[in-house]
Amino acid sequence: MPTLLLSDIHANLVALEAVLADADGQYDRVWFLGDLVGYGPQPNECVERLRALEPLALSGNHDWAVLDKLDAFDFNAEARMVVHWTQRTLTADNRAYLNDLPPLRAEPPFTLAHASPRHPVWEYILDLPTAMENFAHFDTPCCLVGHTHVPAVFVLDEAAGELSFTLVEHGDVIDLSRHRLIVNPGGVGQPRDGDPRAAYALLDAEAMTLEFRRVAYDVAATQELMRELNMPRRLIKRLAQGL
Ligand code: ZN
């Protein structure tokens, strides 16, 4: 049975429920690459929903900011505003759950990192030079990352000394057995590749394949909850644009 691979839920329960419904019956365990809260309107609901799935989970930079492990002044004003609201809203129990999650862990043949294996909380892997440097910072064949909210694959052909980068679409299946890779399943709760549908992946660790998926969710429902909470307008708008 495949592993359901999720990242960057960002307190968007409507998107998380759509992903869980879409993948229903097709996985037997869950891996989560961090940023369960921040940006979105339902942090407690998302922590509780994910927790109940008993995932192998990481924490991300927004989780760290909410936990005061990272200075919220590193964020833009809108993200910071939601960090502070989340701090006031999160229950002690849910906060304790987030506090126990590491930002990096090895699950051979995979390394899991929120942002990058070199700087697991903060670095964005968006270009070839950054990806190349990061291949020196993990030992397993494949590293799974989130953080950019953009589904993508970096493939390092060590024999040829070539690194390539591919943006991926719904239904694309990649072979994880041939080269070393850095793979990003995209974001569940705030996609940023211009496609507003929630992104996730199904990882088959036996066949060593990974399938990228997209699923539409009721964006307007999440936006309405954000409006009721007077969340920043730009954060509300970007969900519909997938940016
Ligand atoms: Zn994120």
Side-chain angles (χ1 to χ4, degrees):
M1 264 292 212
T3 300
L4 178 63
L5 183 61
L6 308 175
S7 192
D8 296 279
I9 292 169
H10 282 297
N12 188 341
L13 183 68
V14 183
L16 175 59
E17 291 291 4
V19 165
L20 295 176
D22 193 56
D24 190 35
Q26 298 166 71
Y27 62 91
D28 63 1
R29 60 179 181 177
V30 179
W31 288 1
F32 173 63
L33 302 176
D35 274 3
L36 190 39
V37 301
Y39 289 128
Q42 295 187 284
N44 285 309
E45 293 85 344
C46 283
V47 174
E48 286 153 22
R49 186 70 169 103
L50 187 77
R51 246 180 118 165
L53 301 171
E54 298 178 11
L56 194 151
L58 303 181
S59 51
N61 55 314
H62 285 255
D63 306 319
W64 276 43
V66 166
L67 296 164
D68 283 322
K69 290 182 177 181
L70 190 133
D71 193 341
F73 278 92
D74 291 338
F75 287 62
N76 65 48
E78 290 144 337
R80 189 163 63 236
M81 193 188 269
V82 181
V83 164
H84 291 148
W85 173 80
T86 305
Q87 287 175 330
R88 296 193 299 274
T89 304
L90 208 58
T91 66
D93 202 35
N94 288 337
R95 187 185 166 93
Y97 174 76
L98 285 182
N99 199 40
D100 284 343
L101 303 180
L104 173 79
R105 59 189 301 161
E107 285 295 318
F110 302 98
T111 298
L112 282 61
H114 174 63
S116 78
R118 176 169 58 180
H119 300 298
V121 180
W122 193 250
E123 182 176 40
Y124 290 88
I125 305 181
L126 285 164
D127 55 61
L128 290 171
T130 308
M132 188 56 121
E133 289 164 21
N134 267 284
F135 274 100
H137 291 266
F138 64 100
D139 300 325
T140 58
C142 183
C143 182
L144 306 170
V145 299
H147 193 48
T148 65
H149 306 194
V150 176
V153 188
F154 293 90
V155 181
L156 179 62
D157 182 340
E158 284 179 308
E162 277 172 14
L163 177 64
S164 62
F165 167 62
T166 323
L167 290 169
V168 289
E169 292 178 0
H170 173 74
D172 285 355
V173 178
I174 57 163
D175 178 358
L176 305 175
S177 67
R178 291 183 51 222
H179 301 298
R180 294 189 77 209
L181 304 108
I182 297 174
V183 180
N184 190 321
V188 171
Q190 194 204 67
R192 289 183 191 161
D193 62 343
D195 180 345
R197 294 178 299 170
Y200 71 98
L202 288 172
L203 169 69
D204 189 329
E206 274 170 35
M208 284 301 273
T209 58
L210 182 140
E211 179 184 351
F212 290 90
R213 296 269 189 97
R214 301 304 282 257
V215 59
Y217 71 96
D218 189 350
V219 173
T222 296
Q223 289 177 313
E224 186 53 35
L225 291 170
M226 293 171 78
R227 242 177 252 121
E228 284 166 15
L229 292 164
N230 284 319
M231 285 185 163
R233 239 188 256 169
R234 197 180 68 89
L235 297 184
I236 297 173
K237 221 171 129 187
R238 69 188 298 180
L239 289 181
Q241 300 163 329
L243 291 173

